[in-house]
Amino acid sequence: MSATDRTLIILRHAKSDYPPGVPDHQRPLNRRGRRDAPAAGRWLAESGHRIERAVVSTAERTRQTWALAAEQLGESVPTRFDERIYLASWGQLLQVVAECPEEVATLALVGHNPGCEDLAAGLAGPGSESGLLARMEVKYPTSAIAVLSLNDPWSKLRPAGAALRSFGVPRG
């Protein structure tokens, strides 16, 4: 596999609820989030990318987002829940991505903002579609998905080392 055969999919969790007295880490999806998360899964399924591995924040809203999205993919995806993704900076997320086994061609990361947006923008370098990049930089809302192709192995991924190929905000 060449380095350019790798794809990173960055999914921000769907819209969450704010129940009184519930700690941030335990906040669930709200009604809109429960509609949008499956739409994100359908968008991913229709994109033609076969996700080989997912790494997901341990927060309840990200776990629910991935569970609902993954149901739409048509096959089981090995998933690891990583507490480091919760409220992580883009540099911390880059480290999580760098730990992906080299044999994995397509990795999905499910997390939070501003980390997801900053990671996508920080990785988007030469070859990125400027219209998509401009749209992503205006807003990276809940359920947003950035798809980047990598120019390096996971372990050597660096700023501006990928090309933004797609950006979507699926709604249910």
Side-chain angles (χ1 to χ4, degrees):
M1 165 190 326
S2 71
T4 55
D5 290 334
R6 289 183 180 80
T7 300
L8 175 62
I9 297 168
I10 303 170
L11 168 60
R12 182 180 174 198
H13 66 79
K15 190 77 173 163
S16 59
D17 203 355
Y18 292 87
V22 174
D24 184 72
H25 193 268
Q26 296 172 3
R27 288 192 300 118
L29 295 179
N30 68 13
R31 182 176 303 181
R32 187 177 111 197
R34 289 190 304 274
R35 282 192 319 260
D36 291 349
R42 288 188 295 278
W43 189 94
L44 289 168
E46 293 166 4
S47 74
H49 298 291
R50 184 178 167 271
I51 300 172
E52 295 178 8
R53 174 105 21 123
V55 61
V56 180
S57 165
T58 55
E60 183 64 23
R61 59 194 177 272
T62 51
R63 294 171 71 94
Q64 289 179 349
T65 297
W66 180 243
L68 292 168
E71 287 176 355
Q72 306 300 312
L73 299 178
E75 61 184 19
S76 179
V77 176
T79 300
R80 180 171 57 90
F81 298 97
D82 193 321
E83 63 190 17
R84 296 175 298 167
I85 297 173
Y86 178 66
L87 304 181
S89 69
W90 86 274
Q92 293 165 315
L93 293 175
L94 186 62
Q95 180 58 43
V96 170
V97 172
E99 295 170 6
C100 183
E102 296 302 336
E103 65 273 8
V104 172
T106 303
L107 173 69
L109 181 135
V110 185
H112 312 265
N113 253 9
C116 285
E117 178 178 3
D118 292 346
L119 179 64
L123 290 176
S128 294
E129 295 186 28
S130 60
L132 291 175
L133 192 54
R135 188 171 148 232
M136 183 182 75
E137 288 174 344
V138 167
K139 189 169 184 182
Y140 202 106
T142 54
S143 301
I145 304 169
V147 180
L148 299 109
S149 14
L150 307 188
N151 298 319
D152 292 314
W154 300 115
S155 62
K156 298 193 186 314
L157 190 56
R158 67 196 186 304
L164 180 65
R165 296 292 182 216
S166 186
F167 179 73
V169 185
R171 296 292 184 219

